[in-house]
Amino acid sequence: MMMLKKCSKWVSSDLDWKLLLWILPPLSLLFYISLSSISAIARSSFTFNPFSTFAPLKSVFNNNAPVPPPPPPSPRSDSFLPTVFANELNRSNIFPADFANQSEMKTQLDRSRNDEPLFPPVFLNQSVTKDELDRSRIAVCIVGGARRFELTGPSIIEKILKEYPNSDLYLHSPLDTNAYKLSLLKAAPRVSAIKIFKPKPIKMTEFQVRVLSASGSPNGIQGLLQYFNLVEGCLTMIRAYQHKNNFTYDWIIRTRVDGYWNGPLSPKDFIPGAYLVPPGSSYGGLNDRFGLGDYNTSVVALSRLSLIPELDSAGYHLLNSEGAFKAQLTIHRVPYITKRLPFCIVSDRSYEFPPPHFGVPVAALSSPGPLSGAKCRPCTPSCTDHCVGLVMSKLYKGWSWTYWANNTLQLCDAHAEWESGWQKIFDKVAGNKLAAARQRIEDLRMEQCVKDFTEIMKKTAHWEAPPVSQICRLGLSTPA
């Protein structure tokens, strides 16, 4: 009797299992279909996906291994991508056609399609119109030494300051033998603050020694600190002016004194909620030769000195300027976007030609571009057309590299000093107006120099500099 009861119980259990096996497959199928629909809906909108925790299960149904969460960004890694957030990864229409790294950005975004959003939504096609910008408060921050300002300064005035005539100029520049060339700024429409200062050594802290690397910097860590001080000093000037006049800028444009612009800064370059930098010349980090963002993103981007302790706490060490720049945006979760821009950095330095794998290509100023901050000089091009492709294809893309396809780039043989007759080359490329400004500095005398600076002082809200006679005398050998 006991045996019969056990047998009956086993048979009943067996029937239960058979029933369960019949029910499970259709239930699983229904669950899978509903999950796919939910995921599709979640990806089609800029909203947080509450079902993202089911991603491993979905991967099993798809016969794929679960996608592991991304590792934290490495201080020396170039793979971190803070742009649009992860739920909108497969929609190519958010990338404007003129974004140079569109396919590369989309590939990296697709890799992390199961990640949680890293940043608030950034709509890359929501640039600001020119009319809106003409009604906005814009600060233009120019930093660095005036070494070739007779070539670069007039282009900045024409392509940025006059392009946005409501913008306020802020200059932060060291006093040296080239500072007298800054007298060309009398042509700037509006000047808010100018600081020309005598450089002094910056005492290094233990944080700075750990975070920064002397490798690749002509003046070691001290050189990096001086550059960071120029950039953040400009932000300090902007904040002081805002506080005094009780307002906040909508946008801050930051460029270098030695940048030559052969085209205007476009309204499409103003993207709310993100920080715009040029592609290429990244040296393992981000190209820091130009930056544009709204006020909040710009405060993070321009705080080059004060954020170093935070980089140290986050474990970032032995960084160059570009690496530190990328790291500070990363730890503050500021989305950055790379976009080709019509400027280059005029350089007197000599570079090996043809450049080796980690070498520096020097563009001819006559290159159509956009050159996105590549090094350049006025020269007779030594390498054009197919030659450019052969040279550039051998360079490491994550270092000193720039876009070169479609005959946008011509290369100089920059292994020696500038060639004889470079002035005529510049004048032909730059046009009559910029050629006249170059000639004006070449012919400048002491009396006119003092007069020009005095004119600038009159229209500047805040002036901090040595006596103008001292600035002019340093660079001009004989008074008129």
Side-chain angles (χ1 to χ4, degrees), residues 24-68:
L24 272 177
L27 281 176
S28 301
L29 182 61
L30 285 170
F31 179 74
Y32 174 69
I33 291 169
S34 64
L35 182 64
S36 300
S37 301
I38 289 166
S39 297
I41 292 167
R43 282 196 305 271
S44 67
S45 62
F46 280 87
T47 54
F48 173 65
N49 179 9
F51 297 93
S52 60
T53 52
F54 288 104
L57 183 58
K58 184 180 174 185
S59 299
V60 171
F61 281 125
N62 279 332
N63 232 357
N64 296 325
V67 179

Side-chain angles (χ1 to χ4, degrees), residues 25 31 37 71 142 181 190 246 265 269 282 303-304 308 357-359 388 391 408 416 418 420 426-427:
F31 179 74
S37 301
I142 306 177
K181 299 175 184 178
R190 293 161 57 122
N246 195 29
L265 185 65
D269 300 329
S282 59
S303 298
R304 300 303 308 266
I308 289 177
H357 188 50
F358 285 93
V388 174
V391 170
T408 55
W418 287 17
S420 175
F426 174 83
D427 293 352

Side-chain angles (χ1 to χ4, degrees), residues 224-264:
L224 294 180
L225 296 179
Q226 293 290 344
Y227 174 55
F228 293 176
N229 179 59
L230 282 169
V231 174
E232 188 158 350
C234 202
L235 176 62
T236 302
M237 293 160 66
I238 289 170
R239 281 172 156 166
Y241 188 76
Q242 286 182 153
H243 180 73
K244 183 179 179 181
N245 294 278
N246 195 29
F247 78 98
T248 301
Y249 282 106
D250 300 301
W251 302 94
I252 298 179
I253 301 166
R254 201 274 299 174
T255 191
R256 284 173 45 158
V257 169
D258 55 0
Y260 172 82
W261 290 74
N262 68 349

